Every structure is written in C-alpha cells, then in structure tokens.
Amino acid sequence: MPDFSKALRQLRPGESAQRRLFQSENPVSSLVKQLAFMKGNSLRRSVGDTFFAGTEEVTPLGRHLVIRNVYGDDHYHGNVRPTRFSCADLQRFMALMKTKGSVASRDAIVFLDTETTGLQGGTGMVPFLVGLGYFEGDEFHSLQYFIRDFDEEPSMLLALSDLLQRFKLVVTYNGATFDLPLLETRFTMARLNSPFAEMAHLDLLPGARRLWRHGYGSCRLAALESRIVAFSRGPDIPGAMIPRSYFEFLQGRGAVVMGSVLKHNVDDIVSLAALTVCACDRVTREPAALDSPLDLYSLARIMENTADWQRAIDFYERAIGGGLEDPLLLKAREDLAVLSRRTGNHSRSLALCEALMTHATFTMVAYEGAAIHHERIASNPIRALEIVEEGLARLAGLTETKRWHTSLSARRERLRQKAIQF
C-alpha cells in the first residue's frame, strides 16, 4: 500500500534494491513483497524479552503478544484512584451528554486506545497495538495486544473480538472518528464480525470539550491528564514518532523505543479511566468555592438544556461572582436572565436585562427580556414599547442584524396596538 511504501522508503533511502522493491507497478504484488521483506528482516521478540515482559498468545489464526498490568484498589493515577469509578455517576454523565446506552455494572465497561502505522487513514493503516482497560473486582487491569509483524494481525483481532464480547460499553477518546472505524475496517478485512455492533460507545472527547475547553483550551488527552488528573508521564514518546518507531522495530531496530510506545499506550488507557472519573465528578458533585469561573460556566451551559436545568442558575451565579470575563460574562448574564424568568424570579431577570442594556455590545436578549417583563409582568405596554424602540435605534448602526430587527419590529407593532388600547 502507498503508506507502507512511503514509510519504508524513508528508513533506508540509500538501498536502491529496496527502492526498486517498493516501486512495483502492481500494488498487490508490491504489498506481498513488502510484507515478505519486513518479515524476513524483522527481529522477533521472545516471550522473555525484558523490553516487553509479555506472553505469546496462540489462536487458530496465529499468534501475537499480550502484555498485562494490574492496578490495585489503592493505586492512584495522578490524584485519581481509578477504582472508585461509579456506574451511577457514569450513567448520569452519559445522560447529560445524550449518549445512548446503559451500564449496570462497571465490569461491563472497557476502555480502548490504539497505536497505528499512521494517521493517513485507508485500508493500509494497521493497528499494531490495541490497549484495553477494565475492572475486575477491586482491581483495574490493562491488557495490550501487540503484533510483532503484520501477519499476526488476524490472530490479534480474533483474540480482541473474543474478549470484547464480555463488555457492554466501550469508552474511547476520539474513538468515534478514529479507533472504532479503524478497528471495524480491520475486522471486515479479516472476515471477522465486529464486536462493536452490540456495544454502546462513549467517546469522552466531546464531553471533555464541553466541560474544560473554556478553562483549559487544549483538550488533548495528554493536556487534560496533566491539568485535571495531575498525572505526569515524565519522558514520553511523541505520538507523531510512534508509526516510524514501529517500522524501525520491524527492521530489527528500535526495540527499546517500542517499550516506550507500550508505556505511552498503557498511560493513555489508565489516564482515560481516570479522566472519566473526573468528568463524572464534574457533573455529579457540588462545585467547590474555589472552582474556576470558566469551569462553572461550562457546567451551567451543559445543565441548562437538561431536566436538571435549574441547577444551571446557581452555576451561572457563581461563575459571574467569581470574575468571569467578557465575552463569556455577557453570555452568562443573558442565559441567567432567561433562566431566572423561567423560574419566576422576575426581579432578578429584569435587573440582569437592564444591566445588559447598558453594555457596549448590543444584546437582543436584554431588550427582549425587559420588554417581556413590562408587557406581561408589570402590565405596562407603553414602557415595553419604549424599550423596543430603544433597541431598534441601537440596531440602526449595526450590520448583520436583520433577524433581530425583524423580531423587534414585529414586537413593536404588537405593542403599539396594545398601547393604543391601554
């Protein structure tokens, strides 16, 4: 495949025979030759290899390497103990994020992450390492399937499929667009049924963005594990180097580096479990007094469109009181004004609208909310009409406000009729 050829050509560009090998006009023949070349030149690791400390697993489709780690109930990953994971909290988080599926037992949950031969996509990309994490009683287990050559992939996929049958929910980080589609493609190519068809899927990345994007910016797993989980990896191989490291391993080089890749993958798995615990905490536990206003704002935004929307009022109030800055401060006050009106706290809603009307930035919510209050609550359509006229006057110098102008104009005509009758 083209991606194999490009990667392998870059490893030893001076070997003309190898160049000719990978420049075959027949792509099928070329792939066969590539695999044969890499198999002949790869350094097979033994079961007792000190870099891998894994065991060789044999299936009807061949063999592959398995690396296992067990973390006890007292193990902390950063400042998080993964084994305090709660299914009830996870179910609450999934409901807020509108993720389908139910979880009756944490033993039915598996965390998944892959390392591949590239990010370019297509059928030529191979997951050479699949990491899994799951609970067994009071322990958290990590299980890594590693192929020491491409001919071991069918065996790995078969073992992976068999193991995944026991789980009902798979948790990933960006797995909806990367890990799961990739593995489903590989299962299809190996003529194996995909185990994901019968599983619910929680991709934690969208939820993490909603919770922490405003406060922390980057929502890469490595960034959040440092700032939310407080876990430090120490020396770690960059993700961009992992595909090339695997190709070098296939040629008998870079075995020590592959040990770093395995550590990188297992850190991803445990960090994913720990970050899931933190995400559940964020939506189920009461905020602390020193919580970031940006985090409180994000939480309020999540809550306001759920059945628990009244909790968003307290979060908005805390965020505003904590020193939230524009433009989020403006949006928080707008949303709080609407929610206060929904709960019947009309005085608070009006106070917010009147303050917003003095803001340098025009806010439709403020003028509309104040007009609604005077028309419906205070029964003063004349004052409501004055507010609408003021809003339309401010709109006169603004661009791209056709929708707002249409809405206020319609309200003005209706209020004029009421004012005449009044």
Side-chain angles (χ1 to χ4, degrees):
M1 305 298 287
D3 46 306
F4 289 164
S5 304
K6 181 179 178 181
L8 290 168
R9 282 200 302 271
Q10 292 174 348
L11 295 178
R12 294 185 180 179
E15 295 182 7
S16 58
Q18 184 177 336
R19 280 182 176 276
R20 290 193 297 271
L21 174 65
F22 294 135
Q23 290 173 349
S24 167
E25 294 181 359
N26 186 334
V28 177
S29 173
S30 176
L31 177 58
V32 172
K33 290 179 179 179
Q34 289 176 44
L35 295 177
F37 175 86
M38 289 185 289
K39 182 175 181 180
N41 288 274
S42 65
L43 180 61
R44 293 276 187 171
R45 311 311 298 174
S46 65
V47 173
D49 194 302
T50 56
F51 296 124
F52 290 71
T55 57
E56 189 174 71
E57 184 171 279
V58 180
T59 73
L61 298 182
R63 60 191 66 205
H64 57 275
L65 201 67
V66 179
I67 302 97
R68 293 178 171 85
N69 289 286
V70 178
Y71 304 89
D73 185 52
D74 59 349
H75 174 77
Y76 275 80
H77 190 76
N79 60 8
V80 178
R81 185 165 55 89
T83 53
R84 72 173 178 83
F85 186 96
S86 165
C87 276
D89 290 349
L90 179 65
Q91 196 66 64
R92 169 70 174 152
F93 177 79
M94 291 174 64
L96 289 174
M97 298 302 159
K98 296 179 172 54
T99 301
K100 296 180 180 180
S102 60
V103 186
S105 167
R106 69 180 193 173
D107 292 344
I109 303 168
V110 62
F111 301 86
L112 182 147
D113 183 64
T114 63
E115 307 298 339
T116 72
T117 56
L119 297 174
Q120 68 277 9
T123 56
M125 185 167 59
V126 177
F128 66 85
L129 175 62
V130 180
L132 304 174
Y134 53 90
F135 297 99
E136 279 195 4
D138 293 331
E139 298 174 335
F140 184 78
H141 291 234
S142 73
L143 186 65
Q144 293 172 288
Y145 291 108
F146 178 71
I147 60 172
R148 298 158 295 185
D149 211 333
F150 292 109
D151 61 352
E152 293 188 347
E153 185 190 12
S155 177
M156 177 194 72
L157 292 173
L158 179 61
L160 180 64
S161 177
D162 289 344
L163 180 69
L164 289 176
Q165 301 296 328
R166 62 189 266 196
F167 300 107
K168 302 298 182 184
L169 171 71
V170 56
V171 182
T172 65
Y173 205 78
N174 197 33
T177 59
F178 185 74
D179 302 86
L180 263 59
L182 169 64
L183 287 173
E184 287 178 332
T185 297
R186 305 312 296 182
F187 281 123
T188 299
M189 293 182 67
R191 297 186 178 182
L192 296 171
N193 292 327
S194 170
F196 301 119
E198 304 299 324
M199 300 175 70
H201 177 212
L202 169 63
D203 186 341
L204 190 63
L205 177 58
R209 283 175 173 161
R210 294 179 66 185
L211 286 171
W212 293 303
R213 176 183 55 205
H214 293 297
Y216 298 97
S218 174
C219 286
R220 293 185 303 109
L221 180 60
L224 291 182
E225 74 176 6
S226 174
R227 304 187 70 175
I228 303 297
V229 182
F231 174 70
S232 176
R233 296 191 181 214
D236 184 42
I237 182 170
M241 287 182 58
I242 290 177
R244 182 180 179 88
S245 299
Y246 183 65
F247 283 111
E248 291 180 347
F249 167 79
L250 291 176
Q251 290 194 321
R253 300 177 288 153
V256 177
V257 177
M258 282 310 300
S260 299
V261 174
L262 290 166
K263 180 181 180 302
H264 174 95
N265 178 256
V266 78
D267 283 344
D268 280 351
I269 289 296
V270 186
S271 287
L272 176 57
L275 190 62
T276 304
V277 171
C278 293
C280 293
D281 287 348
R282 182 75 279 185
V283 300
T284 57
R285 298 191 175 187
E286 286 301 316
L290 297 179
D291 270 344
S292 162
L294 291 169
D295 287 349
L296 291 168
Y297 171 80
S298 297
L299 191 56
R301 294 276 289 171
I302 291 172
M303 291 293 180
E304 69 176 325
N305 294 314
T306 69
D308 218 4
W309 60 269
Q310 294 190 44
R311 291 186 67 198
I313 295 176
D314 180 49
F315 298 149
Y316 276 132
E317 293 281 16
R318 293 193 190 192
I320 293 170
L324 195 65
E325 297 181 356
D326 279 337
L328 297 184
L329 177 59
L330 179 67
K331 187 67 174 68
R333 285 174 171 166
E334 287 182 342
D335 291 344
L336 181 58
V338 173
L339 292 176
S340 296
R341 186 166 67 245
R342 285 175 63 184
T343 60
N345 190 351
H346 299 294
S347 59
R348 177 58 173 155
S349 177
L350 179 61
L352 286 164
C353 289
E354 289 177 339
L356 286 169
M357 287 163 60
T358 65
H359 197 278
T361 301
F362 174 84
T363 162
M364 177 70 175
V365 172
Y367 285 95
E368 189 175 56
I372 289 173
H373 176 87
H374 286 288
E375 177 187 1
R376 300 179 185 176
I377 307 303
S379 299
N380 187 352
I382 295 177
R383 176 56 185 150
L385 180 58
E386 292 173 350
I387 291 171
V388 171
E389 294 281 11
E390 180 184 334
L392 286 168
R394 288 190 66 181
L395 281 176
L398 301 178
T399 59
E400 299 180 359
T401 58
K402 182 177 180 180
R403 179 174 58 86
W404 295 346
H405 191 280
T406 301
S407 178
L408 283 182
S409 295
R411 185 175 294 277
R412 178 179 61 182
E413 295 307 314
R414 185 164 49 78
L415 286 171
R416 281 176 174 175
Q417 297 298 324
K418 275 195 171 185
I420 292 171
Q421 295 176 4
F422 184 76

